[in-house]
Amino acid sequence: MKGAPQALAGRTVWLTRPAQQAGPLQAALQARGARVFCLPLLEIAAVPPKREQLQHLKDLDRYDLVVYVSSNAARIGLDRIFEWWPQYPVGILNLAVGSGTAAVLEAEGLQVRYPSERMDSEGLLALPELADIGGKRALIVRGMGGREVLAQGLRERGCTVDYVELYERRQPAYGVDYLAHCLASQPPDAVVVTSAEALSNLKELFFPVGDEWRELPLFLPSERVQEHAQQLGFGRCRRLESASDAAIITGLCAVFAQEGTDV
């Protein structure tokens, strides 16, 4: 698209990922001339696994599939696994929800399968490797709570499913005055929100500030998250192809390049 590489120049983009995950995307956007403001809407805190779940990690070689549902799950999960397994067990089919999660695993030399388009539980379940898994055992590595779509889909196909939950997501504590200052001093051209939980936190945090939250220019990674935004009352929602860095950059450039041609 003509002009797309310069489309982000001078634009203010809010990133709302947890602090430890925003760096590469922030750098890539800044390299394209964007002004990036990081306002994490989730805090990630590692928690020790329960006794039964710790045993799942010790018995890792008994599983046919290990599914990592986020980059946090991969990062914290591998830290825990390597406490008991100096060498990752062979013969396991490792699956990740998307390219960012897969990159954490691949950095440790692991082979990983992941969906290239729809990066969520539904996308994972569509992988051909999960079409015939009757009688197999799967371990899902994730945070506390979360959606049950993946586990339900695996069980419906005859797979035994266990969980290990290694972190919790918390809402950050921001004062009303600070958030009002953010809006006044750095009004966003785009607010990138990559999960429904972060979106709920966005509304809850900004609700006491005033009605400005309704018109925040949201960029969202999936139809499911977009529907959640509309249910919450957000009025300006744009869809991205996925939550990957590449999809976010491409989506932002496409929108702002088009806006430039409409001026």
Side-chain angles (χ1 to χ4, degrees):
M1 179 180 296
K2 185 177 180 180
Q6 294 80 37
L8 289 174
R11 300 286 186 171
T12 298
V13 180
W14 287 17
L15 298 184
T16 63
R17 287 175 171 172
Q20 61 268 44
Q21 294 173 236
L25 179 56
Q26 178 181 2
L29 292 171
Q30 289 173 333
R32 290 165 172 79
R35 295 189 294 262
V36 180
F37 174 61
C38 292
L39 185 76
L41 294 176
L42 290 171
E43 291 180 350
I44 304 299
V47 297
K50 298 177 181 178
R51 180 179 299 179
E52 179 183 3
Q53 295 184 2
L54 179 60
Q55 191 61 49
H56 296 333
L57 293 180
K58 294 179 180 180
D59 294 338
L60 191 67
D61 60 339
R62 298 177 61 188
Y63 290 94
D64 303 289
L65 322 170
V66 179
V67 186
Y68 298 86
V69 303
S70 69
S71 58
N72 292 307
R75 177 174 53 84
I76 299 171
L78 289 179
D79 286 345
R80 289 291 187 181
I81 287 169
F82 289 139
E83 290 176 3
W84 300 100
W85 294 90
Q87 175 113 12
Y88 198 90
V90 299
I92 293 175
L93 174 60
N94 298 297
L95 299 127
V97 73
S99 57
T101 303
V104 177
L105 302 169
E106 290 168 342
E108 296 295 336
L110 302 179
Q111 293 188 339
V112 193
R113 289 287 294 122
Y114 60 93
S116 58
E117 296 181 1
R118 182 168 183 174
M119 298 183 185
D120 56 16
S121 296
E122 290 83 355
L124 273 170
L125 289 169
L127 290 175
E129 289 86 350
L130 296 183
D132 184 13
I133 53 174
K136 295 186 180 296
R137 298 187 65 193
L139 181 66
I140 298 177
V141 184
R142 70 175 192 175
M144 304 290 289
R147 302 173 72 211
E148 299 298 326
V149 172
L150 178 59
Q152 181 180 347
L154 294 175
R155 288 174 177 140
E156 288 174 352
R157 299 174 189 186
C159 186
T160 300
V161 179
D162 293 319
Y163 282 121
V164 57
E165 298 177 315
L166 298 176
Y167 61 94
E168 61 182 6
R169 298 169 292 272
R170 301 170 181 169
Q171 184 184 100
Y174 298 118
V176 172
D177 290 344
Y178 172 72
L179 295 176
H181 174 73
C182 293
L183 283 173
S185 63
Q186 303 190 69
D189 296 297
V191 180
V192 180
V193 186
T194 54
S195 75
E197 187 172 0
L199 199 56
S200 296
N201 288 347
L202 178 65
K203 176 180 177 178
E204 187 172 340
L205 287 165
F206 277 91
F207 188 84
V209 178
D211 286 336
E212 292 93 337
W213 63 270
R214 295 182 182 275
E215 294 304 315
L216 289 172
L218 302 182
F219 284 73
L220 308 167
S222 68
E223 181 179 358
R224 179 178 64 86
V225 177
Q226 184 176 13
E227 289 175 352
H228 185 61
Q230 293 167 343
Q231 291 167 359
L232 289 174
F234 289 97
R236 298 174 62 190
C237 305
R238 293 184 182 271
R239 277 273 306 280
L240 300 164
E241 289 296 323
S242 73
S244 71
D245 289 3
I248 291 170
I249 293 168
T250 298
L252 290 171
C253 286
V255 168
F256 293 137
Q258 181 61 43
E259 287 184 1
T261 63
D262 293 340
V263 174

